[in-house]
Amino acid sequence: MKKYIIAGLIIIAGILGFNLYVPLFNAPIDAASFSTYDAKIHRDTWGVPHIFGKQDKDTAYGLAYAHAEDDFKTIQETVIAARGKLAFYHGKEGAANDYMVQLLKVWDVVKSSYASQLTEETRDLVEAYANGLNHYAVLHPDEVYRGLFPVSGKDVIAGFVHRMPLMYGLDRVLGKLASDEKPEFSIGKEKIEWGPFEQTLMGSNAVAVSPKRSADGYTRLAINSHQPWTGPVAWYEAHLHSEEGWNMTGGLFPGSPVIFLGHNEHLGWAHTVNRPDLVDVYELDIHPEDENKYFIQGKYETIDIWEAEIEMKLWGPFRWTFKRDIMWSIHGPVFKNPHGTFGVRFSGYGEVRQVEQWYQMNKATNYEEFEFAMSLQALPMFNTVYADKSGNISYVYNALMPFRMSDAYDWKGIVPGNTIQSLWQGYIEYDMLPRVVNPESGFVQNCNSTPYKATLGIVESRMPFLMNNLGIETFQTNRAYRAIETYGADTSITREEFYQYKFDTKYSEKSVMAVNLKKFLSESASDDPHMREALELLRNWDLDTDSTATAMHLAYDAIRPTFDPDKYTYNYATIMDRLEKSIEYYRSVYGKINIKWGEIQRLKRGDIDLPLSGGPDIFRAIYSRKQNGQRKATAGDCFYQIVEWSPEGKLSSQSIHQFGSATSDENSPHYNDQAELFATHQMKPVWMTLEDIKLNLEKSYRPGEE
């Protein structure tokens, strides 16, 4: 009887359009083909993979296999997201992503540009990386998402095309337009929080000092990105080496065949997130008798309309395909809501060379080669701080910024879509971006702050009007203030001081936290003994977020600082209310309010539970969420490196990861073996020569032979 019921359900499902059967592999994978790759994985005593390949493509293949060993699930999730199949595997919560993949024409762009825009070397690289994943999948079928494999180089490129606009907040804009609310973006102040992360203070630090500013004539670079600690944009450390001149170590995200930030033997760089205005929203002038026509350049044009098909998991094996319209105008994607019809234009549409640019940056051997790679402008954003063994340092406000003809519009708001005056005229050329090269001060920094204070002297820009309509930051973050108050105030920085400043845990007197706390305390008075105790703790606080600080938790709850002083609204009543609630909360949990910050803010990973210094917008950046009376750290300082070259050009570096190299393997000793070093402001050596690696070796193997 049971088999007849199942057969009946299958027939009914077919009639209703439900999909049931999903094969493990969509096409056969020839395991023998992987033998053509010549790569070896050396795991050091921290579990960090050093991939040595004969050719670059061999190294990329080995990287994919090694990373899959440590975090195969997340890598697969990036492929699923880029294919627009999240709803297929996870249900309705993935439908918005899947619609966006089709709305932004991710796969149309990849298929039309893969062969024409990417060099043969880059295509070989991404195909080899895909084959490394395929090899791992064949050998570990119990870990595979059914129907996902094999993957190809196009999947790798699609991951970058899909992810990059999310880094500058396109998804937030689209979400606003897709709702029934009146779309408001920037009228005086930003009304949406840019970026894909919940923490509004997420950022990064980057500092370089040349021999002019170091006590020993060394060149030093701090590579200190702040990211979520888990998920698709969490850092993974690797070292890539080939006999074709690739010798790069640093951090990358799941699904990447290249290093995003780090160093080779010649040079290194750090990225920090910048927030230029790379998205414009246009209100379309719709024909009075045809809602699918809009007026532009003197005539009415027809909105292009087609259907997106999204497969969604319902329950068990049942999946259903639903359809939604996609609309495009000359500006880009179109949204209709009760308040009008809007088109969206975003930077970098049609670009597929992100991997290619980072690949060239990985293999650069001097400043000129690095600048050539940067000039490709395939990366639509990211401040970039650079240093090399010759003592050169530089900073560039890298961004693919639209050339907007008019300053008459509020470009962060909604602009008219019926005039040529609001159309972009290409992008700002790379050599016109704000930059600093070998400043007299011997010091550059960026901490998600204005590019025009990246050093102690003048920052070059060939276009003085850049700040008017491009959204370039004009503010200093606390971290930028502290970089200038530490590195920038010391004209003879020793190695010890360079490290000490990296672990700075203080708020500047100029910070949003300090300025608004001081104002609040000047107005505060209370007869309540608990409030008086709290106010006394805050008055005696030295703005340090060390784990021993006893007022940080109260200041954190009450002030809630932002990056930008202009976007912080001081309100005495609001701050007092927050402080009262904080006092009540900590008294109920701890029975007191005089509590060390490290008792509250914790690093938790497996069986490890450690106190942490730092906090939001601190150079030692830690972002956390309340959990069982404490705050569990979830983002901020994570993988970072400090690199130095001697006056003779000899390289040495150290790195640390907040957890360890086994980013999702709970059974590995490297799941959390770096956590204690991280929590106590220590680092581990980076080994780059085969001799050093073998002296600190855990195991060596070829992919599939481990």
Side-chain angles (χ1 to χ4, degrees), residues 1 269 283 352 449 506 525 539 559 576 586 591 615 643 660 664:
M1 176 63 71
W269 72 90
E283 184 165 14
V352 297
S449 43
K506 297 196 73 171
R539 289 191 178 99
I559 301 301
M576 179 59 78
Y586 285 109
V643 193
S664 68

Side-chain angles (χ1 to χ4, degrees), residues 407-425:
D407 276 338
Y409 307 120
D410 175 12
W411 289 97
K412 282 191 175 181
I414 298 173
V415 298
N418 60 358
T419 171
I420 194 173
Q421 294 298 315
S422 64
L423 292 179
W424 296 358
Q425 304 299 308

